[in-house]
Amino acid sequence: MTGAAPTNGPAPDAAEGTFWTPSTETGQPVEPEAAPENKPADANRILDELRAFYGLGKRPANTGNSDGAAPLPALLHAYRDLARVRHTYPLLLNADNPTAAVRPLTAVIDELLANVAGDDDEGRQLRHNVLRLEAIMRSMLDGRDGERLSLVWDRAAATLFETSRLTGDKATALRDNIAAARKALVADGELVACGPNTGARIFQTCAAASWRACCESWSTELDGLIRQLQDVLSADFSRSDAAMTPEHLGKTLGTDSDLDVEAMSSLVRSAPHGGGLSDARRERVLGLIATLTALQPLFATGTPGSTPIQPTQVWDDFAAASEEHARRMRAMVAFFRSARIARLETRNQYREAAHDAYFASFGERNLTADELALCPPVLVRVTDDALSGDGAARLFEILGGRAAIKVLLEVRSPYRVGEDGLQPALSINWAGRLAGMATSLNNAYVTQVPLSRADVLSARIAGGLRYAGPALFCVGAPSHVGRGIAPHLAAAATAEARFTPLINFDPSRGDTLADCFDLSDNPQNERTWPVETFAYRGADDKEATRELAFTPADLLFLDDRTAGHFWSVPASHWHVAMAPLADMLAMPAAEAAGKIPFILTVDRDNRIGRAVVSHGVTELSRQCRTCWHALRESCGIESSFARRAVTAERERLAQEKEREIEAIEKDYVAQLEQDVGELTREIVQRIAGQLLGAEVGGVVTMPTMPASAPRGDTTAAPTEAPAVSSPEPEEEEKVSFDDPYIDTPLCTSCNECTQLNNRVFGYNSNKQAEIKDATAGPYSDIVRAAELCPVHIIHPGKPANPGEPGVEEWVKRAAQYN
């Protein structure tokens, strides 16, 4: 699984560079052999039984749950035994190190090895031995908290020496390796395993480290300011009569002095000196010193002394926390009012007439951002049970206000289980959605992180502590996950099932959601469910892999309270209607209606199984999916509003393009019709001119035909002209329609005729076809050209050679083109 551990560092017995390596000791899961195909009647009976369980929770009497072999969700099977897995916990807590107050032990060991272990054989041996020691340290901390790293190291080293059973040079080398690493170990602090109080321990450690970092420079400035006030009083006392008495001079000079203190006192008193402080100013300076020194231990960088404000004190009640914040702010207002007056006094700039009225009305609104940052926040730790009654209202009142109250909310139950029964009622615990809801206030720093991501959690808490306002830290720490699953792995599973996704909302980063909202810490946040590769051995004993999604059902399967919602179906009951839950949730409603959802499981014997889930689990998973999608939309990931706008814009552009195409086509058709009309008129005029000739003096004569004139005696007898007064015209050659011709102006230059016979047909200067020589080829070529012409402008006429073979058939075919 992702998100359950850091991402670097070697496992003790794994290849270097691996981390959070699944245990291979359990063996590879094996798929059962396919059951014999059931008869139709049996298949229908099995489907009825599956539907009865899915909808009503009823199992057949002869097929109960096979939970005796302790099946786990398939993706968690590899982590059944964490003893050989190098993971996040334990943590090293050290509030004295503000830059790394919370660190995984693995990170400490990796840093140590980087400094002492080389790349040679000796370095590799040292690395191996130290990692063995780390594994022993981790096992020693199961169920134990608060031991210092140095002490645990020494105990683990003794155990390693005892159990290794090495002798001679190997034993010496082991001891030398551990001694060299122990000498180089600089970091120290408390080692904490993952448990019920881990979130609170991280919270307090981060708060203490953050406060020390905040006070580091101010502590020095405050010490100097108090000393300067004391110097003002000392200078004033040195000019007073009390400072000139023989007794005071004697104490000042000491018993070893030979001077006559009586004479010196008389001499000093007789000497002229300036006046001292006024009574009002002296009282003011004394009051300033008292106020500042009362809270001086609060800002100490070492161990804080007695002070009315404890910066790392944790409260468990919202009302009490609000009262505490009001009390603290009254004290801090008085403190910073005194600090400002002190600065004026040490510079001799305080003027009662100008400053008394201002400081009399000095309040929280007058504090600067730097001064507010030095006001210790109030820390609150509650569980999701505290949200009952008026708890939720009080929490939202805090988150909507200005008070620097930092709340750690431990989400123990991301979902609720109703009364016992065949299938107890399931519902989402809204505490797991509270972080997302709180972001809508746009006022508080909000984060939600599972305990498994301690590195992210500590960084987010540090950011929230620096924020000038309220903060909510929701920590996923489930308390009802069983079947031997480690607490931090259960927390990781809760986040990956999208019950408590990782959220970070920081209003100080900008004014828009894009500036403030961040979901990038979630595993595979672009997907509905995280998907991992599951390796197994098929029924045919061949290795195979498949992609599996981790869903809410996988987490619910680990809870004994929800056992009634799952049925580990034997292979004999596997039906074609069964579908993985993640696939079913992605199907359209009509397609999903006939499906029986299941999750894949693996038992202790490495047998792969199927656990059918109830309708209640399916609906709860659907709700988680909906909430996750809504959260992603809030963060700008796959926004449905954006998709809708893009779809609408695409449709608009498509319609606009369609209208443009229609307009272009309409204009083209109109222009084409106009061009064809003009061209037709031109052709008709030409043909008419050729056919009708010219009328001269009332006598109609025919024009002379082109060079391909008819052969033989085919001309008609000359027409006798009527008697007229005009001169008799010359006799013109008559037109014959027996010769082939082409409507050349209509030619489309398709090349059909010229490719058929380029001796008969050719192109003119306009690349339009005309008959070059009708006798250059057979009559059949002219008829074929007429048939091939797409615009039918070739007229074959009659054959020039009536004796051409088959000419009668060609004349018949040519008739329709003449």
Side-chain angles (χ1 to χ4, degrees), residues 780-813:
S780 59
D781 284 353
I782 300 175
V783 177
R784 286 195 187 97
E787 292 174 342
L788 293 173
C789 179
V791 290
H792 305 301
I793 61 173
I794 300 178
H795 307 285
K798 292 182 179 182
N801 180 14
E804 183 178 324
V807 71
E808 294 83 2
E809 180 64 26
W810 292 111
V811 170
K812 292 179 183 179
R813 290 170 63 172

Side-chain angles (χ1 to χ4, degrees), residues 733-766:
E733 185 178 2
K734 304 301 183 291
V735 177
S736 174
F737 293 98
D738 292 340
D739 290 331
Y741 69 94
I742 298 176
D743 298 328
T744 300
L746 297 179
C747 178
T748 60
S749 305
C750 67
N751 298 330
E752 292 288 352
C753 59
T754 57
Q755 290 179 356
L756 180 65
N757 192 326
N758 58 9
R759 297 186 304 278
V760 175
F761 304 99
Y763 283 133
N764 62 13
S765 60
N766 293 328

Side-chain angles (χ1 to χ4, degrees), residues 527-722:
R527 296 177 179 266
T528 298
W529 316 111
V531 175
E532 302 294 338
T533 300
F534 174 64
Y536 64 98
R537 189 171 293 278
D540 56 0
D541 202 34
K542 294 182 179 179
E543 294 187 357
T545 60
R546 62 185 299 181
E547 299 298 311
L548 291 183
F550 194 85
T551 68
D554 294 272
L555 177 66
L556 291 166
F557 188 72
L558 303 173
D559 193 339
D560 293 337
R561 299 175 302 164
T562 62
H565 286 273
F566 296 89
W567 175 20
S568 294
V569 179
S572 60
H573 274 58
W574 290 7
H575 195 280
V576 293
M578 297 171 66
L581 175 62
D583 294 348
M584 177 183 169
L585 292 174
M587 294 176 184
E591 182 181 353
K595 299 297 183 182
I596 304 297
F598 72 90
I599 61 170
L600 213 62
T601 64
V602 180
D603 63 17
R604 288 188 182 277
D605 298 325
N606 297 323
R607 294 175 301 189
I608 295 176
R610 292 181 180 183
V612 173
V613 306
S614 69
H615 182 266
V617 171
T618 304
E619 289 307 304
L620 187 65
S621 301
R622 201 185 305 277
Q623 292 178 37
C624 283
R625 183 189 64 173
T626 301
C627 293
W628 169 242
H629 287 176
L631 191 63
R632 293 198 307 168
E633 286 200 51
S634 299
C635 199
I637 303 175
E638 293 188 8
S639 171
S640 61
F641 296 99
R643 287 199 304 270
R644 182 183 299 174
V646 169
T647 301
E649 182 64 13
R650 284 176 176 170
E651 292 177 353
R652 187 190 67 80
L653 291 175
Q655 293 174 358
E656 183 178 325
K657 190 68 175 177
E658 185 176 352
R659 288 193 296 268
E660 291 178 358
I661 293 174
E662 289 177 354
I664 292 173
E665 290 179 347
K666 185 177 180 180
D667 292 343
Y668 176 77
V669 170
Q671 184 65 40
L672 181 62
E673 291 177 350
Q674 179 181 350
D675 293 343
V676 170
E678 293 178 355
L679 183 59
T680 302
R681 286 192 295 272
E682 180 182 349
I683 293 172
V684 170
Q685 289 174 357
R686 290 184 181 182
I687 294 175
Q690 292 176 350
L691 295 178
L692 300 179
E695 181 179 343
V696 180
V699 178
V700 178
T701 60
M702 302 302 292
T704 304
M705 295 299 291
S708 57
R711 295 167 183 79
D713 188 13
T714 57
T715 58
T719 304
E720 185 177 342

Side-chain angles (χ1 to χ4, degrees), residues 63 78 115 183 205 213 314 379 420 434 583 728 760:
T63 53
N115 294 329
K183 183 178 180 180
T205 301
V314 179
L379 308 180
D420 292 339
L434 193 143
D583 294 348
E728 182 177 346
V760 175

Side-chain angles (χ1 to χ4, degrees), residues 320-362:
S322 297
E323 294 176 0
E324 171 65 12
H325 181 267
R327 184 186 72 84
R328 288 188 182 186
M329 291 311 299
R330 288 193 295 270
M332 297 310 297
V333 166
F335 174 82
F336 283 112
R337 178 174 57 223
S338 297
R340 291 203 196 178
I341 296 174
R343 292 190 183 96
L344 294 172
E345 286 289 2
T346 56
R347 300 166 188 164
N348 198 27
Q349 294 177 347
Y350 190 88
R351 302 294 179 263
E352 294 178 354
H355 294 121
D356 281 355
Y358 172 75
F359 285 109
S361 61
F362 189 88

Side-chain angles (χ1 to χ4, degrees), residues 462-478:
L465 291 170
R466 291 191 298 268
Y467 177 69
L472 174 64
F473 311 114
C474 294
V475 180

